[in-house]
Amino acid sequence: MGMLPLWKSGEEVVVDVSRMIRPAVDSMKPYQPILPLDVLSEQLGHPPEMLVKLDANENPYGPPPSVLNALRNLQQELPIYPDPESRRLRAGLASYLGVDISYILAGAGADELIDLICRLFLDPGDRIVNCPPTFGMYPFGASLAGAHVIDVWREADFGLDVNGVEKAVRENGTKLLFITSPNNPDGSVIPPEQLARLLALPVIIVLDEAYLEFSGMQSVSSQVPKTPNLIVLRTFSKWAGIAGLRVGYGIFPLEVIEHLWKIKQPYNLSVAGQAAALAALDDHVVLTERAERICRERERLADALAEIPFLEPYPSRANFILCRVIGRDAAELKRYLAEEHGILIRYFDKPGLTDHVRITVGKPEHTEKLLSALHTLSATAS
Ligand SMILES: Cc1ncc(COP(=O)(O)O)c(C=O)c1O
């Protein structure tokens, strides 16, 4: 494997491709993404329309009709490359956020912006601080750049270990600190006084607000123009129900955004993504109302999960609930729900989470199906 024969003027040259792969990439573990619905449907033997998808924090209501209309009206624009500066979308975001357009950059999901941030700041050997358990793309982006990831583990209730973060940043000459509010996978938020303490550190803080719309908190986006070390990331994937179109955005200090413009791919956001996100912004009242509906369902689901003898749900301010699984195997619970009932939830085979599952909040009928399956299991076991 890895030895490729090349032919040049009749003479064979052997190239050892594996030795040419960057060491940082060679040593990386692949990211474990969620399988697509059709693949899962085939694997599980349940038709796709019967599956209840509660594994990736997507919005069960999908996009509002205005977004679908905007997509239907794109015939003229499809043959043309998209606006590389996403001007109309950024102008919409500027008035939605109350932040000048010059601070805003849109990306193919918040994921692309995490990747761009890592590529902008990190050289091999640089350091980031990460606060696991949390979203996996921060160490992914840092490792790809060959940077060291310093993990400061969260407390038992998933709150940040602020003293630990302060120490790690100061001792290690860290460039970036990634924090998430609400955090994935547990849904806890970072209190304003903790954020203020962290902002006093000599580090660039990337605050990921992917689930902000479900939290009842104010975004800190408007603080960016007067805070030189703060970057805020947001997304249309969760709140606006268009994860499939890949639209996220960031609010960056001017000194940072100036360089991001140089390194981003020119046509990073598709015509469809830009149009759909703009239509979603125009319909933000409807979307906010849907987010509130999801939050109400979250509270109902949390109360019901607390009644299941083998589950201990954590309080969440996002569109998912993390549960500790007591007295049973969490991976087996995920398998049982998927195979027997077509209900997909998330299990993480990761340190600190092996006895946990994360359940996305769905529609009321999804909650009913899940609870019925859990009660059946509970009755069979006892
Ligand atoms: C905390 C967090 N940030 C970012 C993302 C990715 O967002 P996007 O779909 O915009 O790439 C996710 C997706 O699950 C997430 O959980």
Side-chain angles (χ1 to χ4, degrees):
M1 281 293 284
M3 301 289 270
L4 266 194
L6 298 181
W7 283 269
K8 195 178 155 201
S9 341
E11 141 204 8
E12 183 178 318
V13 184
V14 176
V15 178
D16 184 354
V17 175
S18 60
R19 287 191 51 208
M20 296 183 186
I21 302 293
R22 291 172 46 217
V25 176
D26 200 33
S27 59
M28 270 176 80
K29 290 202 190 85
Y31 184 72
Q32 299 275 328
I34 295 281
L35 289 174
L37 211 54
D38 53 339
V39 175
L40 280 168
S41 151
E42 213 174 294
Q43 277 183 3
L44 296 168
H46 295 287
E49 64 282 4
M50 295 304 287
L51 292 178
V52 175
K53 194 166 179 340
L54 306 177
D55 58 350
N57 303 339
E58 290 134 336
N59 190 320
Y61 296 100
S66 54
V67 170
L68 301 177
N69 267 338
L71 290 172
R72 258 183 231 111
N73 292 333
L74 283 177
Q75 286 91 332
Q76 303 262 320
E77 289 161 62
L78 291 184
I80 317 268
Y81 280 104
D83 174 4
E85 293 184 24
S86 311
R87 289 174 181 82
R88 291 183 60 212
L89 172 58
R90 287 173 46 247
L93 283 167
S95 62
Y96 174 66
L97 301 169
V99 175
D100 189 79
I101 189 171
S102 55
Y103 294 91
I104 302 169
L105 185 83
D111 282 351
E112 190 199 13
L113 299 168
I114 295 167
D115 177 61
L116 280 173
I117 292 166
C118 290
R119 288 201 281 134
L120 178 63
F121 288 106
L122 301 176
D123 270 329
D126 282 342
R127 293 178 165 85
I128 72 151
V129 166
N130 184 44
C131 303
T134 192
F135 186 47
M137 292 310 283
Y138 320 132
F140 178 92
S143 307
L144 186 51
H148 295 300
V149 178
I150 299 163
D151 284 330
V152 178
W153 286 81
R154 287 169 175 263
E155 313 276 10
D157 65 354
F158 289 92
L160 282 182
D161 170 6
V162 179
N163 291 334
V165 171
E166 284 177 336
K167 193 161 172 278
V169 166
R170 290 194 195 282
E171 283 177 5
N172 294 287
T174 304
K175 277 191 169 173
L176 298 174
L177 163 62
F178 284 94
I179 49 177
T180 322
S181 184
N183 186 44
N184 176 6
D186 62 292
S188 62
V189 294
I190 300 175
E193 58 282 6
Q194 283 193 355
L195 180 62
R197 258 177 81 181
L198 296 173
L199 283 169
L201 290 168
V203 69
I204 293 162
I205 295 192
V206 183
L207 174 62
D208 185 341
E209 292 186 338
Y211 300 97
L212 186 273
E213 292 85 353
F214 305 100
S215 70
M217 307 265 291
Q218 284 285 334
S219 169
V220 297
S221 325
S222 60
Q223 290 186 32
V224 172
K226 46 183 186 324
T227 317
N229 62 335
L230 175 63
I231 292 172
V232 177
L233 300 181
R234 310 270 304 261
T235 180
F236 284 83
S237 294
K238 319 292 178 182
W239 164 71
I242 53 170
L245 286 168
R246 314 300 300 120
V247 188
Y249 58 98
I251 303 93
F252 300 89
L254 295 181
E255 267 182 294
V256 174
I257 205 166
E258 170 194 341
H259 299 289
L260 287 172
W261 281 116
K262 292 190 283 191
I263 65 168
K264 86 166 188 69
Q265 297 279 339
Y267 306 115
N268 59 333
L269 215 59
S270 71
V271 161
Q274 294 190 32
L278 190 59
L281 273 186
D282 287 343
D283 231 355
H284 68 89
V285 176
V286 169
L287 286 171
T288 302
E289 195 278 320
R290 286 181 179 186
E292 283 161 7
R293 205 184 307 170
I294 290 170
C295 292
R296 287 193 296 274
E297 188 62 18
R298 174 184 70 208
E299 297 314 310
R300 188 174 85 90
L301 174 62
D303 288 347
L305 291 174
E307 300 290 312
I308 305 288
F310 52 86
L311 291 181
E312 192 178 86
Y314 291 79
S316 167
R317 304 276 292 270
N319 65 338
F320 50 81
I321 298 175
L322 185 74
C323 297
R324 196 152 80 86
V325 182
I326 301 154
R328 321 181 150 258
D329 187 87
E332 174 56 23
L333 174 63
K334 175 208 152 87
R335 188 209 57 76
Y336 161 80
L337 288 173
E339 290 180 9
E340 306 292 325
H341 298 274
I343 300 171
L344 310 170
I345 62 169
R346 188 81 197 251
Y347 168 73
F348 305 89
D349 190 8
K350 282 188 187 173
L353 290 175
T354 47
D355 54 347
H356 290 73
V357 291
R358 190 195 64 198
I359 303 170
T360 303
V361 180
K363 293 181 177 172
E365 57 265 37
H366 301 149
T367 301
E368 294 316 325
K369 208 169 161 194
L370 171 71
L371 293 176
S372 149
L374 290 170
H375 283 299
T376 306
L377 181 63
S378 194
T380 334
S382 52

